[in-house]
Amino acid sequence: MSFYVDGIIDEIKSRGGAEKLRRQGPDTLYIGGGTPSILPSEELERVVKALGKSDYKEFTIEVNPDDINGNGREYLQRLRDAGVTRISMGIQSFDNGILRWMNRRHDVAGARLAFRLLREAGFGNISIDLIFGLSQLELPRWEKSIREAIALNPEHISAYQLSIDEDSSLALMVSDGRYTEASDEQCREQYELLCELLAEAGYEHYEISNWAKPGFRAIHNSAYWKRVPYCGLGPGAHSLICKDGRADVRQWNTRECAGIGADGGLKRWQSEGEELSPMEIAEERVMLALRTSDGLEESELRAICSDAKVDALMDEKALQSYRKTDGSKMVRIPEKRFFVSDDIISDLFNGMV
């Protein structure tokens, strides 16, 4: 564990140290991309100390329910002392059969207990993750799971469609005929039920996979969709860096874990990157903004995509225009078409100016 944190601290130094990172103005911190709750709290504290900043607008850490239950109240207090203000917990399902199928370490009772412990520890901003798109997830079974999630009253809910990674054990099950993927129709029905029930419960559907109670949109994640520059630390982490006043350099780390090299010194992941072309930046602007309920300013969209294509999609009601309270004229994908947003965005790209 300590090698992993040693590598992150070494990377902070290689980027000019905490003082240089602070000058770049990051206002959120997100520790995730895996299961950081398996790290001892002392190791997490080392990372926070190395960053040298404590006044984040939002400080999120991803956790698993079984780690919360196993580490107990003292661990949660140390998270609060370290400055954590938001918890993202990977519950995934409120169905024990589904959890066993996913090989999750927790059960439904454990998920409820972990949520209660977080509340008792004073965390007032909790997000939970759910997964849909499973062929065995009949609608009544899915509805029960959604309603259990709502009953906990989290401030934020993220829900992702199951994806099957190449070379994964699930991919092997599919190829062997031991598992049948959910059809597009099943996935659509599950997604639409989720949208309906969360709307009834007062959640704002502010991004394709994210819902929040008013005032609890994820600040950190929202910055991604606006292409605000960010710095990623650790194996596999990505960064978006400004050059000449534009966020146009994409950087990523290789996935090697840190360890001791042949020379006896620390050996860690390496960084690679590329400069994005104006066309690639424009495509990202469209793709990311149209994932959100805010959408993109119409003038910017029409500068990137042809008027004919934009007008055709509006006629099909695949896009809609509206005005924000400040008078800005915007274009967005209606919620009823979120499920096919990839097709709509691809269609727009076929009409790039």
Side-chain angles (χ1 to χ4, degrees):
M1 296 293 184
S2 61
F3 282 143
Y4 177 82
V5 175
D6 288 343
I8 290 177
I9 293 173
D10 184 68
E11 185 178 2
I12 292 170
K13 293 177 181 177
S14 74
R15 289 177 179 248
E19 184 176 344
K20 182 176 180 180
L21 289 178
R22 283 198 300 273
R23 288 200 302 269
Q24 293 172 4
D27 57 7
T28 62
L29 176 61
Y30 194 105
I31 300 180
T35 314
S37 56
I38 67 172
L39 285 171
S41 55
E42 303 84 38
E43 297 297 316
L44 293 171
E45 289 163 359
R46 287 179 62 206
V47 174
V48 174
K49 183 178 180 180
L51 289 168
K53 182 178 170 69
S54 59
D55 56 340
Y56 297 104
K57 288 183 179 178
E58 180 184 88
F59 178 176
T60 303
I61 184 170
E62 291 184 3
V63 302
N64 277 347
D66 46 303
D67 293 327
I68 295 300
N69 298 334
N71 291 331
R73 290 179 171 83
E74 181 182 352
Y75 173 78
L76 296 180
Q77 185 57 53
R78 293 189 74 160
L79 291 184
R80 293 203 65 191
D81 291 344
V84 175
T85 59
R86 183 175 182 270
I87 298 290
S88 177
M89 183 158 61
I91 292 178
Q92 314 308 352
S93 176
F94 286 88
D95 183 295
N96 281 327
I98 297 292
L99 290 172
R100 286 192 295 270
W101 181 81
M102 291 180 178
N103 292 318
R104 303 295 296 185
R105 289 179 290 164
H106 67 276
D107 58 13
V108 174
R112 294 195 196 104
L113 173 60
F115 194 92
R116 179 169 62 80
L117 289 174
L118 288 167
R119 284 292 195 232
E120 290 175 355
F123 287 102
N125 190 355
I126 302 175
S127 176
I128 63 174
D129 287 356
L130 299 175
I131 288 182
F132 68 98
L134 286 69
S135 57
Q136 70 270 46
L137 190 60
E138 304 90 352
L139 285 181
R141 195 177 189 184
W142 177 223
E143 179 175 351
K144 183 175 182 295
S145 196
I146 299 169
R147 291 194 184 281
E148 288 228 33
I150 292 170
L152 289 178
N153 198 32
E155 285 69 31
H156 190 280
I157 294 177
S158 297
Y160 303 100
Q161 184 174 326
L162 178 70
S163 61
I164 300 178
D165 295 329
E166 188 178 354
D167 298 327
S168 67
S169 57
L170 186 53
L172 181 61
M173 290 173 63
V174 172
S175 65
D176 289 348
R178 289 177 289 143
Y179 180 73
T180 301
E181 294 182 72
S183 67
D184 286 344
E185 181 62 17
Q186 282 180 295
C187 295
R188 182 188 62 77
E189 289 177 346
Q190 291 170 19
Y191 184 74
E192 289 180 352
L193 179 61
L194 179 69
C195 294
E196 177 186 337
L197 295 180
L198 292 184
E200 289 176 359
Y203 288 88
E204 299 173 342
H205 193 178
Y206 72 101
E207 194 270 344
I208 287 174
S209 300
N210 290 276
W211 291 256
K213 289 290 184 70
F216 286 96
R217 295 185 181 189
I219 300 173
H220 185 88
N221 291 6
S222 294
Y224 288 141
W225 304 317
K226 295 174 182 176
R227 296 193 81 254
V228 174
Y230 53 88
C231 172
L233 303 169
H238 283 63
S239 301
L240 184 64
I241 301 170
C242 276
K243 181 180 178 182
D244 299 328
R246 298 190 312 160
D248 58 3
V249 176
R250 178 80 61 207
Q251 184 173 298
W252 60 90
N253 292 341
T254 56
R255 294 184 174 274
E256 295 93 346
C257 288
I260 298 297
D263 61 355
L266 180 69
K267 182 181 179 181
R268 62 167 174 84
W269 49 88
Q270 298 299 308
S271 294
E272 302 173 356
E274 62 179 352
E275 186 167 340
L276 302 176
S277 69
M279 180 65 73
E280 288 171 326
I281 294 172
E283 288 179 349
E284 280 196 3
R285 281 285 300 151
V286 172
M287 178 183 67
L288 294 173
L290 290 183
R291 287 186 61 88
T292 71
S293 60
D294 290 339
L296 188 68
E297 285 202 31
E298 184 169 342
S299 59
E300 183 176 0
L301 181 63
R302 290 185 181 276
I304 297 169
C305 304
S306 71
D307 288 339
K309 182 61 69 174
V310 173
D311 291 339
L313 288 170
M314 284 188 176
D315 289 342
E316 296 170 17
K317 301 192 184 314
L319 293 175
Q320 65 178 189
S321 62
Y322 76 101
R323 288 195 180 274
K324 295 179 74 171
T325 54
D326 63 3
S328 303
K329 192 174 183 183
M330 310 290 291
V331 173
R332 63 187 173 193
I333 297 175
E335 185 191 35
K336 290 184 177 180
R337 305 295 290 272
F338 265 175
F339 186 72
V340 293
S341 60
D342 286 348
D343 295 333
I344 295 169
I345 293 169
S346 177
D347 202 3
L348 272 171
F349 286 166
N350 289 332
M352 296 284 282
V353 174

